[in-house]
Structures are given as structure tokens and as C-alpha cells.
Amino acid sequence: MLDYYGVEADLSEEERMIQESAREFVDEKVRPDIGEHWIEGTFPKDLIPEMGEMGFYAPNLEGYGSPNVSEKAYGILMQELEACDSGLRSMASVQGALVMYPIHAYGSEEQKEHWLPKLGSGEAVGCFGLTEPEHGSNPTAMETRAEEADEGYVLNGSKTWITNSPIADVAVVWARDQTDPDTPVRGFLVETDRDGVSTNKIDEKLSLRASITGEIGLNDVYVPEENILPGVEGMGGPLGCLTQARYGIAWGAIGAARDGFETARDYATDREQFGGPIARFQLQQDKLAEMATQITLAQLLAHRLADLKERGDMRPQHVSMAKRNNVRMARDQSRIAREMLGGNGITADYSPMRHMANLETVYTYEGTHDIHTLILGEDLTGFAAYE
Ligand SMILES: Cc1cc2nc3c(=O)[nH]c(=O)nc-3n(C[C@H](O)[C@H](O)[C@H](O)COP(=O)(O)OP(=O)(O)OC[C@H]3O[C@@H](n4cnc5c(N)ncnc54)[C@H](O)[C@@H]3O)c2cc1C
């Protein structure tokens, strides 16, 4: 596997073991059928508990059954999952960074004890409801309402593009009391079997097909007071979760690009035209040299980001730079890999075009490329250019 600058030589024993076991799991259990799942638009749901047993859901958290592995180990895990498919990594990102993380960081002791072991083992599935039909890049303008009622809250509104909502047991829903504009956004744990909750599936996606995506409809849904996440108020809540998930994406995208590179390199070495392997042509070598360089640069960024996170110096803007760069790199390079496979490259028998299509979603969710540009622009100049 491509590691041109030997960054993996510095991995600890534990990090290396996590990488190897994730690679083995993916190769044995997921890779053989992932193309078919992608074509069918299904996720291998039977693997959800097995992924839990493997420790794929938020293993970087401390306590409640989580092994508290290093941030680098977590990143490497996301990389190995996305080397198979962005949908597989999305499952782990949502469950871990967007559902378990907020419960761990902002939840009550009862919420943590009730949900974290179940989510960590894959016995329960969670989803994260922030995006709304009319509010994507600007979630602050959300319309979902939470009104106080009878020792609890009544929720109304709709969320869309929610990974795993049709198969989720619990949704982390972000809402505010719209009658009072000064009321901050709050997070609610909404069990999906509550009266008034609907989770319709979104079909006919042309990207991230091996991942279930849906809506969350909230029609006079009552949740008791104990379902509110007590430890956070305001947009810092959802944005704090997004920083965790984006960190994993900055790593994961490298996996997709690396898999495209390895596939293209193998193909170019085997495929013969004009009397020999196409890898002997300078035009093909130029593509491989550029791909390897871009992947190596992204690896260096991710490894440094992990160091910053480990020592508590990572800012959300650092994550924006890595997410923005590494996903764009993977999106561009998977296209070049596809090209090197000629006609075979447009089939589901090979991974590059599947990665290429998936990366359109990864480029768009968790803050679009444009939004990360604006975050960096503001950080670099002091001027916010969102409006
Ligand atoms: C498969 C999939 C899974 C998803 N999973 C989840 C999930 O689990 N939970 C969740 O809450 N959300 C999820 N999302 C939603 C995702 O986060 C949003 O799609 C994303 O934030 C963009 O919002 P939007 O689609 O409404 O696009 P818009 O915000 O309408 O953006 C449209 C275009 O305008 C650009 N744009 C917007 N504002 C500006 C600006 N100020 N300056 C310049 N350009 C701008 C954008 O970059 C984009 O190119 C998912 C999306 C997809 C596709």
C-alpha cells in the first residue's frame, strides 16, 4: 500500500494492529460484495453488529465500553473503511462521531449509560439530524421547533439527507424554540418509534449508494425532559460533532484515493497495449506520479492533524483545511484512476468510478468544499464572507 514517505513507520503497535484488523475485515467481509450493494443501493446491515465487535464505532472515546484508542488510530481506521467504500466509513462516522460523540460530550449520565454501550456494539443504530430541506449550508436558520410542554418538549419540523435515518433506533435532532428567537439550539435524543416520527428513505441517489439515506419527519413528537442533551446550548453543539466527523473524513478520503491508485497501478502493470504493459508509457506514469504525490501530501496533512488533536491544539479551521484538501484530492485522483482503467473503469467490477461517485457526496456533506473555503477565508483575513 502506498506510503511513500514512510509515515506509517511511526505507528504504535496498537495503531498497526487496528490498521491490520480493519484491512482484513474489509477484505474478507465487505469488499467482495460492495460493488453489488452499491448497484442495488443497499448497505450490508448484517455487518453492523460485527463492526461494533471490531470496535469501529468511536473507539477514541473514553469509558462506557469504548477502548479510548489514539486519534491517529481512529483516523487510520476511517482510512481503511473508506478504502473499501465511503458508505462504509459514513456508517462508522455517523454512529461514532455524530451520535456517540454528542452523547458522550453533552449527555447526562443516564443517557451515556443507556445509549453508549448499545451504539458502540452496534445493537442500536443512531443518526444525526441537522440538515433541513431549506437549510443545508446554513443550519443556524433551522426551522425545526421544540416547544416546552408537560415536563418535556414537542418537536415539529423536518430534517433531510440524514444518513441511516430509515434504519436508526435513535436520532440526535437539533431544534430550537421558534417562538423566542433568543432561545438557543438544543440537541434532543428522539427514539424513532415515538409517535409522530417518520423516516422515509431517499431513493435514486447516484452517489454513496451503499449507504442508507432518509428524512426525519417530526409531527408533534413528544420527548420527555430527560431526552434533551443537557451539556450544550447553541450551534456549538452540532458544530462540535461536525468537527469530529470531519476529522475522520479528512483521513477517510485518503483511503478512497489510495485504493484508486493501487487499482490503477495494478491495472497498468497487467494491461497490455501496443505490445506491452501500459505502465511503460510516460503518459500513464505521469498520472501515477501525480496521484502518488497528491496522496502523500494528504497523508502528511492527516498525520500532522492527528498530532495536533492528540495534544489538544487542533482548531476546527485545521480540520476544515484537511477535509477540504483531502476530499478534493480524492475526488480528482479517483477520476484519473478511472481513466487509466479504460472501458473496464466504468464498471462496478473496479472501485475507482464507485469512489469517484461517492466522493461527490463527501465533497458536499459535512460542510461543502465552498463552506470550508469560507471558514479558512475568515480565519485568514478576519472577514466572514458567508452572506
Ligand atoms: C448522501 C448524503 C448524506 C448526508 N448525511 C447527512 C446527515 O447524516 N445529517 C445531516 O444533518 N446532513 C446530512 N447531509 C446533508 C449535507 O450536510 C448537506 O447536503 C450539505 O450541508 C449542503 O447543504 P445543501 O445540500 O442544502 O446545499 P446548499 O447549502 O443549498 O448549497 C448548494 C450550493 O451552494 C453553495 N453555497 C451555499 N452557501 C454558500 C455561500 N455562503 N457561499 C458560496 N457558496 C455557497 C454550496 O457550497 C453548494 O455548492 C447529507 C448529504 C448527503 C448528500
XYZ file of all heavy atoms in Angstrom, residues 343-375:
260
model
N -12.227 1.264 -20.600
C -13.650 0.871 -20.540
C -13.977 0.102 -19.281
O -15.043 0.311 -18.674
N -13.067 -0.748 -18.837
C -13.323 -1.507 -17.600
C -13.557 -0.572 -16.414
O -14.220 -0.942 -15.447
C -12.143 -2.436 -17.283
C -12.154 -3.664 -18.173
O -13.219 -4.136 -18.573
N -10.976 -4.163 -18.510
N -12.991 0.612 -16.503
C -13.095 1.563 -15.396
C -14.505 2.063 -15.142
O -14.781 2.615 -14.071
N -15.396 1.885 -16.093
C -16.758 2.392 -15.828
C -17.675 1.304 -15.261
O -18.873 1.514 -15.119
C -17.413 3.012 -17.092
C -17.739 1.941 -18.134
C -16.570 4.136 -17.678
C -19.009 2.253 -18.910
N -17.121 0.154 -14.922
C -17.958 -0.915 -14.360
C -17.808 -0.951 -12.838
O -16.850 -0.398 -12.281
C -17.536 -2.296 -14.904
O -16.243 -2.620 -14.361
C -17.469 -2.301 -16.421
N -18.761 -1.681 -12.200
C -18.680 -1.846 -10.733
C -17.695 -2.952 -10.355
O -17.504 -3.231 -9.177
C -20.058 -2.153 -10.166
N -17.061 -3.587 -11.362
C -16.048 -4.606 -11.050
C -14.789 -3.972 -10.474
O -13.979 -4.639 -9.841
C -15.642 -5.371 -12.328
C -16.792 -6.187 -12.880
O -17.742 -6.432 -12.119
O -16.744 -6.556 -14.070
N -14.600 -2.708 -10.751
C -13.424 -1.990 -10.252
C -13.897 -0.816 -9.385
O -14.958 -0.241 -9.636
C -12.572 -1.468 -11.418
C -11.950 -2.593 -12.233
C -12.631 -3.165 -13.305
C -10.693 -3.095 -11.904
C -12.067 -4.203 -14.040
C -10.118 -4.127 -12.632
C -10.811 -4.680 -13.698
O -10.253 -5.705 -14.409
N -13.066 -0.446 -8.406
C -13.514 0.543 -7.420
C -13.461 2.017 -7.856
O -14.239 2.820 -7.331
C -12.702 0.389 -6.135
O -11.327 0.623 -6.410
N -12.565 2.441 -8.770
C -12.385 3.896 -8.918
C -13.640 4.695 -9.260
O -13.855 5.772 -8.691
C -11.322 4.004 -10.024
C -10.493 2.778 -9.839
C -11.501 1.705 -9.491
N -14.482 4.176 -10.152
C -15.649 5.007 -10.502
C -16.667 5.050 -9.353
O -17.347 6.057 -9.159
C -16.321 4.511 -11.775
C -17.404 5.476 -12.214
S -17.600 5.547 -13.971
C -18.975 6.675 -14.068
N -16.729 3.944 -8.584
C -17.602 3.960 -7.394
C -17.074 5.006 -6.407
O -17.850 5.821 -5.879
C -17.612 2.539 -6.795
C -18.436 2.385 -5.551
C -18.681 0.906 -5.190
N -17.506 0.069 -5.240
C -16.542 0.009 -4.313
N -16.649 0.762 -3.237
N -15.505 -0.791 -4.448
N -15.761 5.003 -6.173
C -15.188 6.026 -5.278
C -15.484 7.434 -5.817
O -15.865 8.335 -5.070
C -13.668 5.871 -5.177
C -13.215 4.677 -4.366
N -13.710 4.385 -3.117
C -12.290 3.719 -4.630
C -13.108 3.293 -2.643
N -12.255 2.864 -3.544
N -15.274 7.582 -7.123
C -15.454 8.903 -7.748
C -16.877 9.424 -7.507
O -17.081 10.582 -7.120
C -15.193 8.709 -9.249
C -15.185 9.909 -10.086
S -14.910 9.326 -11.812
C -16.405 9.905 -12.539
N -17.863 8.528 -7.709
C -19.263 8.940 -7.497
C -19.523 9.192 -6.013
O -20.178 10.177 -5.642
C -20.206 7.858 -8.028
N -19.001 8.326 -5.149
C -19.207 8.524 -3.701
C -18.649 9.861 -3.238
O -19.224 10.545 -2.388
C -18.470 7.427 -2.910
C -19.164 6.086 -2.967
O -20.354 6.000 -3.278
N -18.433 5.030 -2.655
N -17.484 10.216 -3.798
C -16.792 11.401 -3.297
C -17.547 12.689 -3.627
O -17.295 13.731 -3.013
C -15.344 11.423 -3.811
C -14.475 10.376 -3.072
C -13.250 9.995 -3.900
C -14.043 10.889 -1.695
N -18.509 12.620 -4.555
C -19.369 13.795 -4.784
C -20.150 14.115 -3.510
O -20.338 15.282 -3.157
C -20.337 13.547 -5.951
C -19.648 13.469 -7.306
C -18.894 14.750 -7.659
O -19.413 15.858 -7.405
O -17.762 14.640 -8.189
N -20.603 13.055 -2.823
C -21.288 13.277 -1.538
C -20.310 13.785 -0.493
O -20.591 14.746 0.234
C -21.933 11.962 -1.036
O -23.055 11.663 -1.854
C -22.385 12.074 0.403
N -19.150 13.144 -0.426
C -18.197 13.503 0.632
C -17.728 14.957 0.462
O -17.495 15.674 1.434
C -17.009 12.500 0.645
C -16.060 12.790 1.804
C -17.529 11.061 0.754
N -17.657 15.392 -0.794
C -17.285 16.775 -1.123
C -18.364 17.756 -0.643
O -18.096 18.908 -0.337
C -17.145 16.841 -2.644
C -16.502 18.063 -3.237
C -15.118 18.186 -3.299
C -17.276 19.065 -3.815
C -14.520 19.276 -3.903
C -16.686 20.168 -4.418
C -15.311 20.267 -4.458
O -14.720 21.346 -5.064
N -19.613 17.229 -0.582
C -20.768 18.083 -0.286
C -21.194 18.036 1.180
O -21.590 19.061 1.745
C -21.956 17.646 -1.183
O -21.607 17.911 -2.535
C -23.242 18.365 -0.832
N -21.115 16.833 1.819
C -21.624 16.799 3.199
C -20.533 17.211 4.187
O -19.392 17.402 3.828
C -22.303 15.479 3.534
C -21.504 14.202 3.718
C -20.124 14.161 3.834
C -22.194 12.984 3.813
C -19.443 12.973 4.031
C -21.519 11.780 4.010
C -20.138 11.796 4.128
O -19.478 10.622 4.327
N -20.983 17.416 5.421
C -20.052 17.855 6.476
C -19.373 19.168 6.127
O -18.181 19.345 6.346
C -18.982 16.772 6.693
C -19.543 15.473 7.180
C -19.803 15.464 8.665
O -19.370 16.393 9.355
O -20.473 14.533 9.113
N -20.171 20.084 5.566
C -19.640 21.357 5.086
C -19.152 21.156 3.670
O -18.241 20.353 3.428
N -19.775 21.857 2.719
C -19.341 21.709 1.327
C -17.911 22.270 1.193
O -17.426 23.005 2.068
C -20.253 22.487 0.358
O -20.075 23.883 0.598
C -21.733 22.125 0.532
N -17.291 21.937 0.084
C -15.950 22.465 -0.198
C -15.968 23.999 -0.095
O -15.061 24.610 0.488
C -15.556 22.006 -1.604
C -14.152 22.337 -1.970
N -13.078 21.568 -1.601
C -13.638 23.375 -2.680
C -11.964 22.106 -2.059
N -12.272 23.198 -2.710
N -17.021 24.601 -0.660
C -17.130 26.075 -0.627
C -17.170 26.594 0.811
O -16.509 27.590 1.142
C -18.443 26.528 -1.300
C -18.470 26.247 -2.790
O -17.391 26.182 -3.403
O -19.587 26.098 -3.337
N -17.962 25.930 1.643
C -18.104 26.413 3.025
C -16.766 26.325 3.765
O -16.387 27.239 4.504
C -19.236 25.638 3.758
C -20.604 26.000 3.140
C -19.220 25.897 5.265
C -21.001 27.471 3.201
N -16.006 25.262 3.522
C -14.677 25.177 4.171
C -13.731 26.256 3.635
O -12.881 26.756 4.364
C -14.091 23.770 4.027
C -14.824 22.777 4.880
N -14.803 22.829 6.258
C -15.651 21.751 4.562
C -15.564 21.867 6.751
N -16.095 21.202 5.748
N -13.918 26.618 2.372
C -13.117 27.723 1.817
C -13.434 29.012 2.585
O -12.528 29.783 2.954
C -13.453 27.922 0.323
O -13.296 26.678 -0.344
C -12.570 28.970 -0.323
N -14.710 29.224 2.855
C -15.119 30.446 3.567
C -14.629 30.444 5.019
O -14.266 31.488 5.560
C -16.648 30.599 3.519
C -17.272 30.721 2.126
C -18.778 30.921 2.229
C -16.654 31.876 1.340
N -14.645 29.253 5.624
C -14.145 29.148 7.010
C -12.660 29.533 7.037
O -12.212 30.311 7.892
C -14.343 27.700 7.544
C -15.839 27.417 7.744
C -13.561 27.479 8.846
C -16.178 25.960 8.049
